[in-house]
Amino acid sequence: MAEYTTFEVPDEVQQKILELFDIARNTGKIKKGTNETTKIIEKGTAKLVIIASDVNPPEIVMHLGPLCEEKGIPYVFIKSKKQIGSVIGVNVSCSAAVIIDAGEGKNTLKELKAKIKTYKK
């Protein structure tokens, strides 16, 4: 677990979140990359943020968790950049991604947001 990772969620929940991002990518709207994710969080239009736990140097994503907390946006740490990259449809690793519109995954998003709250300390 990286120093900026403040809580963990079980693998099966991470998998569900990645599946939700896939649904949102195909039927809603997502943005990828730390810069885009930061902008969407600051605008307050983010529905769910995922941050990779294996980012080096950690300074690249360290600000995302506290920023989400400040704005009241749910976020979760995913084990690897590679997982995020593949689920959002790029052939490279990706440090962070955000759902703007969950599309057909709206109900799943609601369910996961409630679940994520239970893992935070």
Side-chain angles (χ1 to χ4, degrees):
M1 193 160 99
E3 63 207 41
Y4 59 86
T5 309
T6 51
F7 63 96
E8 284 186 81
V9 296
D11 289 347
E12 65 269 10
V13 176
Q14 284 190 36
Q15 200 49 52
K16 265 194 151 156
I17 290 167
L18 291 171
E19 287 166 14
L20 173 63
F21 266 78
D22 191 42
I23 292 166
R25 178 173 63 99
N26 293 313
T27 64
K29 186 175 182 185
I30 66 166
K31 289 281 184 184
K32 53 197 171 286
T34 305
N35 290 342
E36 287 292 324
T37 300
T38 303
K39 287 178 203 168
I40 300 302
I41 295 167
E42 286 172 343
K43 280 184 189 168
T45 55
K47 302 289 187 269
L48 176 63
V49 173
I50 53 175
I51 307 162
S53 293
D54 62 347
V55 178
N56 201 353
E59 289 77 18
I60 294 170
V61 294
M62 280 175 84
H63 67 286
L64 292 175
L67 189 58
C68 285
E69 290 287 344
E70 185 185 302
K71 297 282 188 177
I73 294 167
Y75 65 100
V76 73
F77 298 96
I78 300 293
K79 278 197 174 109
S80 79
K81 298 183 292 188
K82 198 176 202 82
Q83 284 178 299
I84 295 175
S86 69
V87 81
I88 60 169
V90 294
N91 293 332
V92 291
S93 298
C94 185
S95 299
V98 58
I99 291 178
I100 299 167
D101 175 5
E104 291 173 7
K106 276 183 177 54
N107 292 336
T108 307
L109 175 63
K110 225 176 270 176
E111 194 182 295
L112 286 168
K113 281 165 105 170
K115 212 171 251 192
I116 290 166
K117 278 183 187 166
T118 66
Y119 297 113
K120 283 188 176 181
K121 292 174 178 57

